[in-house]
Amino acid sequence: MSPEQRQRMVQLLQVDETFRRDYVRLCQLSSQLMWAAQGAPPDLNLRDRGIAIPAKNAVTRVSRRKRLSPQRVSLGAIVVLVALGLAWTFRPNRESAPLGVVSSVTGTVAVVRGNQPAMPLRADDVLKAPLPMRPGDQIQTDAVGSAVLVLADRTRILLGPESQMTLAARPDARVVVSSGHVTAQVAPQRADAPMIFVTPRASVRVLGTELELMVSKERTEIAVTEGKVRVTRSADGTSAEVSAGQFLPVDEDESLAVIDWPTPPESWSEDFESGLPPGWTGQFVREALPAGSRGALQGRAIPEAPGLRMVAGSPLIERGLFAWHDDSMLHVTFRVQPPAWFHVCLLARTYSRREPLIAWCRVDPDLWRVRAGEWRTVEIPLSEFRWTGSTQPEATLGRIPLQLTFVGPGDLPGVVIDSVRVERKGFEASRLSDPSAGGDPR
Amino acid sequence: MNRRHSISTRALVLIAGLVLAQQPGCRPAGQMATEGSEAVSAKEPESRLALEEPVGRTTQKVISVKPAPDSAPPSMRTGAVSGPLLPFKAIGAGHFNGTSEPLIPRLPSGAVMGLSPQRRFLVTGETIDKTGLVVRVWDLSSMKVVLERQEPNGIEAIRFHPHGRSFTLDVGSVCDSKTWVELGAATALRPRQTDAGLASALAFSPDGRRVASTGSNQTVEIRDVTGSATRHSLSGHQHPVQVAAFSPDGRTLITGDAAGQLIGWDVTTGKKQKTWSFASNLLAAPVPAERHKSDLPAGNSSESNSTSAAGGGPVSPATASEREVSSSAASGLTAIAFSPDQSVLAVATANGYTQTFDLASGAALSPVFHQSPVVDIAFAADASSLLVVTQSGTVSRWWRAPAPPLLLTQQQGSVRFAALDAAGHRAVTGGVDRQLKVWDVDRQSLIRTLDNGGEAIATGALSPDGRRAVTAAYGTGIALWDLEGMKSLGKRYGHQKRIWAFAFAPDNDTFASAADDQTVRIWRINSPKPIRTIDLDAAVRFVRFSPDGKGLLAATRDPRGWQFPARLQLWDAQAGKPLAEFRGHRMEVNSAVFSSDGKELTSCDAEGEICRWNAATGERLGSRHYPIGLSHSGLIVRHGLIVIRRYSSGVLISQAGDLTPVSSFDVPARSISDLNVAALGDRVIAGTDDGAVYVWRLGHE
């Protein structure tokens, strides 16, 4: 049994009660057959159990013909049949070669294959052995789940929370997104065989680009980060081209109107070496810095903002501080003097709304449990930032960070930031070049 | 000046009669006055204000005020004021990094301070002009000034006698002038030559019979106060010894040196018991920016060293050579103190930190940065807080806090509902992410996510056994959940307006809902309709069952808002009739909790008042006021502690019996949106507006 077959079998044993029962029956039959062929198992300790065992010389040797009674032969036949059934179940499917692999998952993610029950995927299992995806396989995520798929052509698809996506082998629909949020970096395609994402409202034809999709029954939103795509509305066949830095909502009735959104740089940094940059909030400090540093930023109390009591942060930049990608990393070098603590917050806008209205924060007590006075650098993936707010924001595409702040208690200004920078790890660097992460599924 | 002088004099007369006394004079450098057997019986008449009598080159004034002896019994005379101990271990390890509160108004730069050895009094000296200063004595239990006196000259240091009933104001330079101030009955002093050179660390044993001192070298001497012989000469430090303190039982002496090494000595044998290495990075941490020369007192920091030594007696003013040693001490430790039960040791540093240590394990607990060099520290008598005096003129109380919490989750959006089962093993959370999540607290893992049908969860309750939950969004529907089968049991309707609160009865099957429609409805899990409806006269915002399930507490909201008092009533849950009403709150009651026997209840309101009531009669038994609003109370049964949310992100833990505060700390979030306890499991859960859910484990699990 190949590792893939073994993994599939374990998954079926975990989720399919019927399969589990049949498997147990097979094992029982197999044991009985073995006993029938070899006599009683040697380690039963029958004497200890009070079962009388005939004297050695009283043992009657059973002839081979007698041991293979018709009943036992039928048992053997059943076992063989079940084994054949299992082999059929796990036979190599030459017609449906894997289209790609699920290379990593977080939260609750399940794969549905055919009529079988949904198989939950565990992050550890997927990291050890990326799960091959075959035509027709559907992947689902819950509210805290996400999954990364790497297709055979190195196209990488990040499936966000509460999403559902099916891989299809049809030339007119390679990926069917039923709902949720998808970010895809599509490898260059042949002109006659483009990558086509199909949603309930539209189809998106891609020759090689990076894009985001947000799909619901009523609406599909497409945002292009790099390159160009053609979007066709399913209802009436109207289409529009969407280029990098553009955003297109597709509804049932409204005309297709492409919206421009700013494209901030992929990288951004501030090291406070030359003093407090214009517009920044906080105090510039020159003392007790890490080696090689000439300046740092210390928080200061903001009495007029009782909710956000200690604030140090950047000015609000309308064009965006940096591009938000889930695989971008925020690097912060800081010192915390306990019991001070801080959250890292990003005030962001969406593609369709200009006003900053959403704060995404990173809250992690481990950040603050440092040794007093010790400088520390952490890398926080932007995917780990969580929306904070008391009301559910409008479901729409896009996060453009306009302002970065460090928020903490105002009476404990013991947080000093020496440098902060954002860099994108990149699909190739992060996943595709790593053979252990699934790389080329072929 | 004269007017101030007369005012302060009248204050002294009002507080107590003043007694003048004449005391022995100045000691040369290196001499140390001790409380000895050779007492001079110099009782002074009680009508004179002051008497100055030059002795040698020293001018001494002796002032006395009654009644104010630092009257701790000998057994308690180390590092803490006498008093009953609170359930110290109930809160957990000795983290003193909770909420801080200033005890006195911040003093100006250059002020001098001293704590009495038993930590009952704090003496402050503030410069009021170029030539004079005002000296105040604060009673730390009431934080009131019990003595105020104007001095014509600046002072360099305030030094208490080990018996705590008198202190000196060291004026001018070397042994130039000294003022003795007596707080209680005059006790004779007689100087005794001990060390040659500066006594840089001093500690008196709790029974007052022994004194540990060290000079500028690395050796510590333990002497009998009554005799002249050295009992032990302790060698082991590699750096100058800066601080010393006897344990409350008097058996152990802990000394600390400039490199941060702490050594525990057996007082009887003089042998080394244990060695701790104070966190070197803490001492290496940058000196606070405030610690510049301009911030230092007129002299130097010698007063911080002398007064910080536990039981720092009236050592002589610093000489030039002494000042050199003192300046070196400014880079190390400044004070140490034992907790009253001897389980925690607190250490203070010149670069602005305090750090507590678990004395049993030696483990370093939470450090706290104070923005300024720490002059002195002392535990409160009940071990609930640590008093910290800094050189920048702050005297603050740092409350105890439990060990750092677990972060159960950080989810999208605000968490509006977070609850634990009675044992504290299972948690349920919900919020604007429209999910009900079930958690295994022990493993910090998510058991199951249940979809709430696209509705946010605004409030809820979990049954004591953790098998059932009820939640509501912002409307009138009640969602029921089977947490054994991990499935929804559908919704129930009956309320006409928004539901604000739920409560489960002890039978795990009956629950009550409170709503804006001025009703409380009582339901059973399997019944589609409420089994009883209780009509009230205003919107109901809080409801809770009594421990036997027969009583139901309900709090209403005045139509004008939470700033106005409404009603808190106890109802018969079966008959639907009122049993008692609790009158006295001046604002809306946000929460209340029954004692474990159901005979008393404790309520808290939006104004910040906690009241204790007789549950049967409605009689008010006591109250305590806090400056900010309180809500979300819960009872930790085993330790008899009440846990209350303090606006907006604070948690307050009080004794259920007399409402004495035990712990106060802040959640690292903008605001706590829900706070609950595991009554039998010693755990506290808080859901925050930031989407984080924290779980604290009280006590030593």
Side-chain angles (χ1 to χ4, degrees), chain A residues 108 142-144 162 287-288 298 307-309 335-339 341 343 359-365 368-374 384-392 399 407 411-414, chain B residues 97 100 279-282 285-286 289 292 353 367-369 371 398 404-407 410-414 416 432-435 437 446 449 451 474 648-649 666-670 689-692 694:
Chain A
T108 306
D142 77 346
V144 293
E162 289 190 286
E287 296 171 347
Q298 185 172 26
L308 308 175
R309 291 159 289 179
R335 187 185 73 209
V336 173
Q337 291 170 313
W341 53 268
H343 295 322
W360 303 79
C361 288
R362 166 70 174 174
V363 179
D364 183 355
W368 323 311
R369 290 175 193 162
V370 296
R371 299 176 63 171
E374 183 179 63
E384 292 193 12
F385 278 72
R386 302 283 179 229
W387 162 71
T388 60
S390 55
T391 56
Q392 192 78 20
R399 297 180 200 172
V407 179
D411 51 346
L412 301 169
Chain B
N97 60 344
S100 70
S280 57
N281 69 303
L282 211 63
H292 294 304
Y353 287 94
V368 174
F369 180 59
Q371 316 289 330
W398 287 78
L406 310 172
L407 177 64
Q410 190 204 341
Q411 65 184 49
Q412 303 271 2
S414 173
R416 314 298 297 179
V432 296
D433 68 342
R434 305 166 184 168
Q435 311 274 339
K437 295 193 176 78
L446 179 67
T449 300
D451 188 66
Y474 300 103
S648 62
S649 60
D666 282 320
V667 176
R670 283 196 304 252
D689 274 354
D690 297 336
Y694 296 100

Side-chain angles (χ1 to χ4, degrees), chain A residues 81-116:
Chain A
L81 285 174
V82 173
L84 286 173
L86 283 173
W88 175 256
T89 303
F90 297 114
R91 72 194 186 285
N93 190 344
R94 294 186 184 282
E95 291 78 29
S96 58
L99 297 176
V101 295
V102 178
S103 63
S104 70
V105 299
T106 61
T108 306
V109 178
V111 168
V112 178
R113 180 167 292 170
N115 295 324
Q116 296 169 6

